Each structure stands twice: as C-alpha cells, then as structure tokens.
Amino acid sequence: MLLPLLGLLLLLLLPLVVFRQSLSQDARLSWLASLQHRVAWWALGWAAAWQQWKLEQSTRHVSQSQQQALRGCLRGPQLPRCPLRGDIDISTFRNALPLTKAHPEVLAPGNTARVTPTSPWSSPLPWPGHALDQAGPPGARESSALLLQALRYPGLRALEAGTAAELLDIFLGLETDGRELAEAVATGNPGEPLPRRAAELRQALEQGPRGLALRLWPKLQVVVTLDSGGQTEAVAALAALWCQGLAFFSPAYVASGGVVGLNLWPEQPRGLYLLPPGTPFIELLPVTEGAQEGAASTLLLAEAQKGTEYELVLTDHTSLTRCRLGDVIQVVGAYNQCPVVRFIYRLSQTLSVRGENIGEDVFSEALGKAVRQWPGAKLLDHVCVESSILDSAEGSAPHYEVFVELRGLRNLSEENRDKLDHCLQEASPYYKSLRFRGSVGPARVHLVGQGGFRELRAALAASPSFAFPPEMPRVLRHRHLAEFLQRRVVS
C-alpha cells in the first residue's frame, strides 16, 4: 500500500512544477527533489501511524484477529482433499489439517547500505534521502559489489546484512580482499576515483579486526541483521571484534514460512518478537507435547503462558499445510493480548548418540563457557557431528566430533580440549551419567583453519535445497559436509 501511496502523491504534485518554469533547470530540480523528500517523509509518517493503529487493534482483540487470519487462509486456493469454506471453528480446522513437518512455501523478502544479497527486512522500504542500495531478491547482486559500493561512503550510519553469519563472512573477506577493494575505490570502479578514501580504507584495515567497522565508517551507529537460525556465534564474534561498540538490531523473526514476529524493542540487546495475529496463521505447540509424535494439541496466541516454551506451527495459505517449523520459542511477556517471544533453539539441531538430547542452546552455552577458559581465544563458528556420521566410533563409545574456528589461538592443547567435555557434563546431568558409565565417549574437538566455515556456507548456498533465510546448521547430518570440514582441520 505504501509504494502506491507515494506514487499517487508525487503524481498529484507534478503539475505544481509548471508554475516553476521561469526558474533555471538546476533550481527546478533542486526544488522538486526537496518537495519529494518532504512528501515522502509525510507519507512514511502517516503510514507508520496507520500501521501502529492496526497493530494496536489486532493485538487488543487477538482472538477475533486470528479468526480473521484463518478466514484469509481459507479464501486462498483450495485443494480437493481439504474443502474448507466459510467460518469454521478452530477444532474443525485442526481436525481437517493434521500437523506436518514439511516446510511451507518460502516467503522471500527488501544514509544505509546493505552488503549482502539478502535483506534483514521483510519487504522493501522506500526510505527517503540517499540510500546506497534497495533490497532485492536473494542473489540479486554479489556481496563484493555491494560492499565496494558501501566502502565508498564514509558517512554511513547503518549497515545491513541478511544474517549475522553473512556479515561475518563479509568482514572475514575484508581481511583477505581488503587491499583489492581499496584499489578498486582508488581507481574509480565504479564511478569517480577516490584516492583519499582509498588511503583511509588501507589505514583502517592495517590496524586489524578489532573495531574495524567504526574505522571504516566513523559515524556508524547500528548493525541491522537477522539473529535467529544459528546466528548466535556470529553475532557474538562480530560484537567482540569487527563491530565492537555498535548496537545490533534484528527487525523481524523470519523462519522458512515467512515473517512470524516483529521486533518493537530495538533497545533490547537480544531480539524480542511480537507474534502478530495476522498471516501467516500461527499456532503454538508446547514442546513437552511436541516431543511426542502423536501429540497435536496446539494453542492460539491468546492462550500462550509466560515462561513456557512452544514450537511454532504455521499454516500456509497457498496449500493449506499446517507445518511444525521445528523452531522453539519462549514466551517472555505480552503486548496487549499477543505473546512476546524469544527464539531459543531448533529441534533439528539436537545432539543425541544415546538418547541424551542435548539441544542447540545447551551445547552453545557449554561451548562458550569452555572457550572462555582457552586463553586469548575468540569463537567464530562451530558445528557438531555425531560420531556415527564419520564412522569415528569404531572401537570406542559413540561421541561428538566438534569443529571450531577461533581467533587468537592457533593450537589446542589436550587440556583445553577436555574442558569442553567437562562443561557439557555440567550443563547436562544425563550426559554426565552416560559419560560416567562409559556409554558415551568424550567430545573430540578439532580446530578448523581460517575461512573453513566461510567455504562451508558457500557450499551450503550452492545446494538446490538452500532456503531463505539462510540458516547456519550446528549439527551436520550428511557425511560429505562433515568430511568437507574434516579436510580443513589444522589442529
């Protein structure tokens, strides 16, 4: 609605230009640009107020809003196997559409520069003023071209990237390709040569990774990027090194079914998301029940309980598929009658070689605690592999193979490697009991060479099944991917 509104307003104002014909061409263009800028700001303000009013109304009457969202789903294309029409109750809806584990149709998205082909925003926003780039579909432009464009402008105040892992790869690439990019700026590709700016870039790069973003763009204030789907390590690494001193903001909670949550609290250090009652149609499945294959007792948004963890269930309006996403969230509060949630972990990223079920969040916390005991080490990335995938349990108890990429530490002693297993035992009493009985062997830690995980993500992106938003797996289930990293182990 917003883009047509802007277009209509600008078209209505174009006749006024006729009265400025006596002015010089430069003056007329300057006057028109100023007028367009003011109108765009007015339209954005009006649209923001209207959206705020809609949000207030929908979240105050969440049951009615969800019923309307459900009717919207049922007005879409209907399949012969599911002839649902008109106003139906939620019980009929649930009985007619059993839960599945297949993902619904992917919803792609669009003074700021975006440096990755994907965007952290759910749809393009017509920001007034000078924007270096407009959001586009995934793969619309190469990251190197977007980064080069951003490097030419020292006055940036916000930096955008689709995900934190993608931004991490951008800064890792700067360390290897920074000189070439500075040379491209100096020789004027694209546009006019900027020798002074190129000299500033070289000087900033020579001082190392810590605080690099603020040296490249001294006015930078915020990094806008998605932080769910295996992005925890990337956010922490960026905040500790390249983006030190900057705020991070994740504008939306985006899953493979589309935008499911909105972040209304940019001042919070970790993303909090409002689950709105519109489309896609959202249900909540308590994780204690969701762990059982036969359980299908979902709740509506108004029934969510603070402090409880739920698996998200989305209904796709194009094929009417009720899909268990596998994303687990925790309700931390409410906005009117709608739950405010925090992303916790993905069920698909659980480790289990003897039924211990170590979740993504539990393992990451244990690994972080172990890394803090490794002098000078900064964790950039990690993945785990159950020993059966690599056939590395022959002659020994099943165990975890853990691959890490670090900064500040080039070799791992056996004492440091053992600290991870101790931290896992502290985090999981059941894992500790299995280790005590010898049913599970100690976790084995491997140090991957610089750039190994960047190459892994490139290999994942080349896969036909690669989805948006690009998630970072923390547990590898395929042997060829595990061997891919194994070949890049340096210690």
Short mmCIF file of all heavy atoms in Angstrom, two decimals, residues 353-354 386-401 434-435 437-444 446:
data_model
loop_
_atom_site.label_atom_id
_atom_site.label_comp_id
_atom_site.label_asym_id
_atom_site.label_seq_id
_atom_site.Cartn_x
_atom_site.Cartn_y
_atom_site.Cartn_z
N VAL A 353 23.42 -39.27 20.85
CA VAL A 353 24.04 -40.54 20.44
C VAL A 353 23.59 -41.69 21.34
O VAL A 353 23.73 -42.85 20.98
CB VAL A 353 25.59 -40.43 20.45
CG1 VAL A 353 26.07 -39.46 19.38
CG2 VAL A 353 26.10 -40.02 21.82
N ARG A 354 23.01 -41.34 22.52
CA ARG A 354 22.49 -42.35 23.44
C ARG A 354 21.18 -41.89 24.09
O ARG A 354 20.88 -42.24 25.21
CB ARG A 354 23.50 -42.65 24.55
CG ARG A 354 24.74 -43.40 24.13
CD ARG A 354 24.44 -44.86 23.82
NE ARG A 354 25.67 -45.65 23.69
CZ ARG A 354 25.72 -46.85 23.15
NH1 ARG A 354 24.62 -47.41 22.68
NH2 ARG A 354 26.87 -47.50 23.07
N GLU A 386 27.72 -36.17 14.97
CA GLU A 386 27.65 -37.40 15.77
C GLU A 386 28.61 -38.42 15.15
O GLU A 386 28.69 -38.55 13.93
CB GLU A 386 26.21 -37.92 15.80
CG GLU A 386 25.29 -36.97 16.55
CD GLU A 386 23.82 -37.35 16.45
OE1 GLU A 386 23.52 -38.35 15.75
OE2 GLU A 386 22.97 -36.66 17.05
N SER A 387 29.35 -39.14 16.00
CA SER A 387 30.46 -39.97 15.52
C SER A 387 30.04 -41.00 14.48
O SER A 387 30.85 -41.37 13.62
CB SER A 387 31.12 -40.68 16.71
OG SER A 387 30.15 -41.44 17.43
N SER A 388 28.80 -41.44 14.51
CA SER A 388 28.35 -42.44 13.53
C SER A 388 28.38 -41.90 12.10
O SER A 388 28.54 -42.67 11.14
CB SER A 388 26.94 -42.92 13.87
OG SER A 388 26.03 -41.82 13.86
N ILE A 389 28.24 -40.59 11.93
CA ILE A 389 28.26 -39.99 10.59
C ILE A 389 29.62 -40.18 9.94
O ILE A 389 29.73 -40.43 8.74
CB ILE A 389 27.91 -38.49 10.66
CG1 ILE A 389 26.52 -38.28 11.29
CG2 ILE A 389 27.97 -37.84 9.29
CD1 ILE A 389 25.38 -38.83 10.48
N LEU A 390 30.68 -40.05 10.75
CA LEU A 390 32.05 -40.18 10.24
C LEU A 390 32.66 -41.56 10.50
O LEU A 390 33.84 -41.77 10.23
CB LEU A 390 32.94 -39.11 10.86
CG LEU A 390 32.75 -37.68 10.34
CD1 LEU A 390 33.49 -36.68 11.22
CD2 LEU A 390 33.24 -37.57 8.91
N ASP A 391 31.86 -42.49 11.06
CA ASP A 391 32.37 -43.82 11.43
C ASP A 391 33.58 -43.72 12.35
O ASP A 391 34.50 -44.54 12.28
CB ASP A 391 32.76 -44.63 10.16
CG ASP A 391 31.57 -44.90 9.27
OD1 ASP A 391 30.45 -45.03 9.81
OD2 ASP A 391 31.75 -44.96 8.04
N SER A 392 33.57 -42.69 13.21
CA SER A 392 34.73 -42.48 14.09
C SER A 392 34.54 -43.11 15.46
O SER A 392 35.34 -42.88 16.37
CB SER A 392 35.01 -40.98 14.25
OG SER A 392 33.86 -40.31 14.75
N ALA A 393 33.45 -43.91 15.63
CA ALA A 393 33.22 -44.54 16.92
C ALA A 393 33.67 -46.00 16.93
O ALA A 393 33.44 -46.71 17.92
CB ALA A 393 31.73 -44.46 17.28
N GLU A 394 34.27 -46.46 15.82
CA GLU A 394 34.72 -47.85 15.78
C GLU A 394 35.77 -48.10 16.85
O GLU A 394 36.79 -47.42 16.92
CB GLU A 394 35.29 -48.16 14.39
CG GLU A 394 34.25 -48.09 13.28
CD GLU A 394 34.84 -48.45 11.92
OE1 GLU A 394 36.02 -48.85 11.91
OE2 GLU A 394 34.12 -48.32 10.91
N GLY A 395 35.49 -49.09 17.68
CA GLY A 395 36.41 -49.41 18.77
C GLY A 395 36.29 -48.50 19.96
O GLY A 395 37.08 -48.62 20.89
N SER A 396 35.33 -47.57 19.94
CA SER A 396 35.15 -46.66 21.08
C SER A 396 33.66 -46.36 21.23
O SER A 396 32.84 -46.71 20.37
CB SER A 396 35.93 -45.35 20.86
OG SER A 396 35.46 -44.69 19.71
N ALA A 397 33.31 -45.71 22.32
CA ALA A 397 31.92 -45.36 22.57
C ALA A 397 31.50 -44.22 21.64
O ALA A 397 32.35 -43.40 21.24
CB ALA A 397 31.75 -44.93 24.03
N PRO A 398 30.23 -44.15 21.27
CA PRO A 398 29.77 -43.03 20.45
C PRO A 398 30.02 -41.70 21.14
O PRO A 398 29.96 -41.61 22.37
CB PRO A 398 28.28 -43.31 20.26
CG PRO A 398 27.91 -44.24 21.36
CD PRO A 398 29.13 -45.06 21.64
N HIS A 399 30.29 -40.67 20.36
CA HIS A 399 30.67 -39.38 20.93
C HIS A 399 30.38 -38.28 19.92
O HIS A 399 29.90 -38.53 18.82
CB HIS A 399 32.16 -39.38 21.29
CG HIS A 399 33.03 -39.72 20.11
ND1 HIS A 399 33.34 -41.01 19.74
CD2 HIS A 399 33.63 -38.91 19.18
CE1 HIS A 399 34.09 -40.99 18.65
NE2 HIS A 399 34.27 -39.73 18.28
N TYR A 400 30.71 -37.03 20.32
CA TYR A 400 30.55 -35.88 19.43
C TYR A 400 31.90 -35.50 18.83
O TYR A 400 32.92 -35.47 19.52
CB TYR A 400 30.02 -34.65 20.18
CG TYR A 400 28.77 -34.88 20.99
CD1 TYR A 400 28.55 -34.14 22.15
CD2 TYR A 400 27.81 -35.81 20.62
CE1 TYR A 400 27.41 -34.33 22.91
CE2 TYR A 400 26.66 -36.01 21.37
CZ TYR A 400 26.48 -35.27 22.52
OH TYR A 400 25.34 -35.47 23.27
N GLU A 401 31.89 -35.21 17.52
CA GLU A 401 33.03 -34.59 16.85
C GLU A 401 32.70 -33.11 16.69
O GLU A 401 31.71 -32.76 16.04
CB GLU A 401 33.28 -35.23 15.49
CG GLU A 401 33.55 -36.73 15.52
CD GLU A 401 34.99 -37.07 15.91
OE1 GLU A 401 35.81 -36.12 15.99
OE2 GLU A 401 35.28 -38.26 16.12
N LEU A 434 25.93 -40.69 31.48
CA LEU A 434 26.36 -41.54 30.37
C LEU A 434 27.88 -41.58 30.26
O LEU A 434 28.47 -42.63 29.96
CB LEU A 434 25.75 -41.05 29.06
CG LEU A 434 24.23 -41.20 28.91
CD1 LEU A 434 23.75 -40.52 27.63
CD2 LEU A 434 23.84 -42.68 28.89
N ARG A 435 28.51 -40.44 30.49
CA ARG A 435 29.98 -40.39 30.46
C ARG A 435 30.56 -41.21 31.61
O ARG A 435 31.56 -41.91 31.44
CB ARG A 435 30.46 -38.93 30.55
CG ARG A 435 30.23 -38.14 29.29
CD ARG A 435 31.25 -38.46 28.19
NE ARG A 435 32.60 -38.06 28.60
CZ ARG A 435 33.58 -38.89 28.87
NH1 ARG A 435 33.39 -40.21 28.79
NH2 ARG A 435 34.75 -38.44 29.22
N ARG A 437 29.27 -43.82 33.05
CA ARG A 437 29.11 -45.25 32.78
C ARG A 437 29.92 -45.71 31.57
O ARG A 437 30.00 -46.91 31.30
CB ARG A 437 27.63 -45.57 32.55
CG ARG A 437 26.74 -45.30 33.74
CD ARG A 437 25.42 -46.05 33.62
NE ARG A 437 24.66 -45.65 32.44
CZ ARG A 437 23.72 -44.71 32.45
NH1 ARG A 437 23.45 -44.05 33.58
NH2 ARG A 437 23.06 -44.41 31.35
N GLY A 438 30.46 -44.77 30.82
CA GLY A 438 31.23 -45.12 29.63
C GLY A 438 30.37 -45.39 28.42
O GLY A 438 30.87 -45.86 27.39
N SER A 439 29.07 -45.09 28.51
CA SER A 439 28.18 -45.30 27.37
C SER A 439 28.43 -44.29 26.26
O SER A 439 28.10 -44.54 25.09
CB SER A 439 26.72 -45.21 27.83
OG SER A 439 26.44 -46.18 28.81
N VAL A 440 28.96 -43.12 26.62
CA VAL A 440 29.29 -42.07 25.68
C VAL A 440 30.74 -41.67 25.89
O VAL A 440 31.18 -41.50 27.03
CB VAL A 440 28.37 -40.84 25.85
CG1 VAL A 440 28.86 -39.67 25.00
CG2 VAL A 440 26.94 -41.20 25.49
N GLY A 441 31.49 -41.55 24.80
CA GLY A 441 32.89 -41.16 24.91
C GLY A 441 33.04 -39.65 24.99
O GLY A 441 32.09 -38.89 24.76
N PRO A 442 34.24 -39.15 25.32
CA PRO A 442 34.47 -37.71 25.42
C PRO A 442 34.36 -37.01 24.07
O PRO A 442 34.70 -37.59 23.03
CB PRO A 442 35.90 -37.61 25.97
CG PRO A 442 36.55 -38.89 25.58
CD PRO A 442 35.47 -39.93 25.59
N ALA A 443 33.86 -35.79 24.09
CA ALA A 443 33.76 -35.00 22.86
C ALA A 443 35.16 -34.72 22.33
O ALA A 443 36.08 -34.39 23.09
CB ALA A 443 33.03 -33.70 23.15
N ARG A 444 35.34 -34.85 21.03
CA ARG A 444 36.63 -34.59 20.39
C ARG A 444 36.56 -33.26 19.65
O ARG A 444 35.67 -33.04 18.83
CB ARG A 444 36.97 -35.73 19.42
CG ARG A 444 37.07 -37.09 20.09
CD ARG A 444 37.36 -38.20 19.09
NE ARG A 444 37.39 -39.51 19.73
CZ ARG A 444 37.54 -40.66 19.07
NH1 ARG A 444 37.71 -40.64 17.74
NH2 ARG A 444 37.55 -41.81 19.72
N HIS A 446 38.16 -30.32 17.15
CA HIS A 446 39.06 -30.12 16.01
C HIS A 446 39.07 -28.63 15.64
O HIS A 446 38.00 -28.01 15.53
CB HIS A 446 38.60 -30.93 14.80
CG HIS A 446 38.33 -32.38 15.11
ND1 HIS A 446 39.32 -33.33 15.22
CD2 HIS A 446 37.16 -33.02 15.36
CE1 HIS A 446 38.77 -34.50 15.50
NE2 HIS A 446 37.46 -34.34 15.59
#
